[in-house]
Amino acid sequence: MIERVFTNCIAGDGKRICIAVADGRIESLGPELPAYGSAEVVDLQGWLVLPGFVDGHIHLDKSFVGDRWHPHQPAGSLRERLAIEKQALADARPIVERAHALIAQAAAYGTVAMRSHVDVDATTGLANLHAVMQAREQWRGIVDIELVAFPQAGVMSCPGTAMVLEAAAREGADVIGGIDPTTLDGDADGQLDVVFGIAERHGVKIDIHLHEPGQQGVSQLHGIAARTRAAGLGGRVAVSHAYCLGDVEPDVLDGVAAALAQAGAAIMTNAPGNRAFPPVLRLRQAGVQVFTGNDNIQDAWWPYGSGDMLQRAMLVGYRSGFYTDESLEVALHMATAAGAEVLGLRGYGLKVGNDATFVALEAPNAAAAVAAVPARRLVVRRGHAHGPAGLPGNA
């Protein structure tokens, strides 16, 4: 039985639709108002409806959201940056509190799922992971959170970390991470043996930070693609950042893109402001799944960010030179459906039978929403509206 009907909605293509909800799921979706009996009617007054946002790469354990402002401190090397971060986090509020604050902020913008990388190593053990797991429990059923055991300090170059990664997989990490197998670890085969071995033994996914430049990074991507094919892990492996894809000539790019597409390995880019990054459209044309995330938010790495994935889609579009409606919609797809596929979300998206979870905002269509990033929003979770008084559905 229909419980609630959202009328006067605008779909991504600018057409007017109505959304009927039964038992938290979309019962019908289309231009005609269904027979709804005594169901509650929510007039969205011509607001655009979009699927909930998916943050495909965030660091909940690092952010200072929920804490005092921490002025950025420059660093001359990665190791120096890690030392600065360690000191700053030691003086910050507990991880659980900061993670909770950032999740709440992202959820208010319309994020319904995220993949959080959490630092684990031989020194900290699983303390950060356990803290973020505790914060995740507070949001269960509201925001789906997938956790990556992330060896920020390296795997081979930080003795004992391989065992910590193995323990993380046993204790509930959904994804095993890696980082710069050559430039940081100095042993690409050793690191990838560990990461892929754990994934195969425990049935978890893989997400590797790759900052290595040019041909060196491309070689890593070919190696990751080959291992993904050999292990039958298509659809379960992602590489985050992959800056090298923005460094190389088109023929080199096309070659590695074909390898990634054949293997079923995805690429995450947040379109960073100070670095070349993967050319989104060319990778998608080759068949590579490309998704996005906020990455670091107001932490020791950089001071920017709010947790708003629509703003992230705008930044991806802005840095990629997306001007047409079609390309702006690609940026939105990266912040919604592409991330949902990588995370393996079920019942996601504006389709009959899926969860009635979506974001409503003031914009004439999806492209306009990406370009302008409207601030006023209503978040609907399983048919229940959440938003400030005075917005549609909250009068």
Side-chain angles (χ1 to χ4, degrees), residues 79 151-161 179-180 184-187 191:
R79 295 296 182 187
Q152 173 77 79
V155 179
M156 312 308 292
S157 59
C158 187
T161 296
I179 180 169
D180 296 336
L184 179 64
D185 247 2
D187 184 356
Q191 181 183 131

Side-chain angles (χ1 to χ4, degrees), residues 8-189:
N8 294 322
C9 313
I10 300 298
D13 61 4
K15 296 179 181 178
R16 194 170 294 271
I17 58 171
C18 299
I19 303 173
V21 179
D23 194 28
R25 297 187 178 276
I26 298 174
E27 181 74 12
S28 69
L29 186 152
E32 301 299 326
L33 186 65
Y36 56 87
S38 60
E40 177 188 2
V41 177
V42 179
D43 186 351
L44 288 185
Q45 302 172 24
W47 278 32
L48 173 72
V49 291
L50 299 174
F53 303 127
V54 179
D55 192 328
H57 189 119
I58 193 170
H59 292 266
L60 291 173
D61 59 328
K62 296 176 182 288
S63 176
F64 297 129
V65 170
D67 193 26
R68 63 180 175 82
W69 176 255
H70 290 249
H72 183 73
Q73 299 181 54
S77 67
L78 175 59
R79 295 296 182 187
E80 185 180 349
R81 170 61 58 211
L82 294 176
I84 289 171
E85 177 185 53
K86 184 175 182 179
Q87 182 59 51
L89 291 176
D91 296 335
R93 292 176 63 184
I95 289 174
V96 174
E97 296 179 19
R98 290 183 285 107
H100 172 75
L102 181 51
I103 297 166
Q105 189 164 295
Y109 284 119
T111 290
V112 300
M114 58 177 62
R115 170 179 281 184
S116 176
H117 297 252
V118 183
D119 284 11
V120 301
D121 58 44
T123 302
T124 60
L126 300 181
N128 292 12
L129 184 65
H130 290 156
V132 178
M133 284 178 167
Q134 185 179 338
R136 176 172 67 173
E137 283 304 308
Q138 301 176 49
W139 290 90
R140 192 169 294 278
I142 302 172
V143 179
D144 291 324
I145 303 175
E146 189 176 64
L147 298 182
V148 185
F150 173 45
Q152 173 77 79
V155 179
M156 312 308 292
S157 59
C158 187
T161 296
M163 290 185 291
V164 176
L165 289 172
E166 189 93 41
R170 288 196 301 267
E171 295 197 23
D174 308 288
V175 188
I176 292 298
I179 180 169
D180 296 336
T182 296
T183 57
L184 179 64
D185 247 2
D187 184 356
D189 286 338

Side-chain angles (χ1 to χ4, degrees), residues 327-357:
S327 59
L328 288 168
E329 288 166 6
V330 167
L332 179 63
H333 183 268
M334 291 170 61
T336 53
E341 183 173 333
V342 171
L343 270 64
L345 300 183
R346 297 180 179 178
Y348 172 87
L350 290 169
K351 295 181 181 179
V352 172
N354 284 351
D355 289 346
T357 297

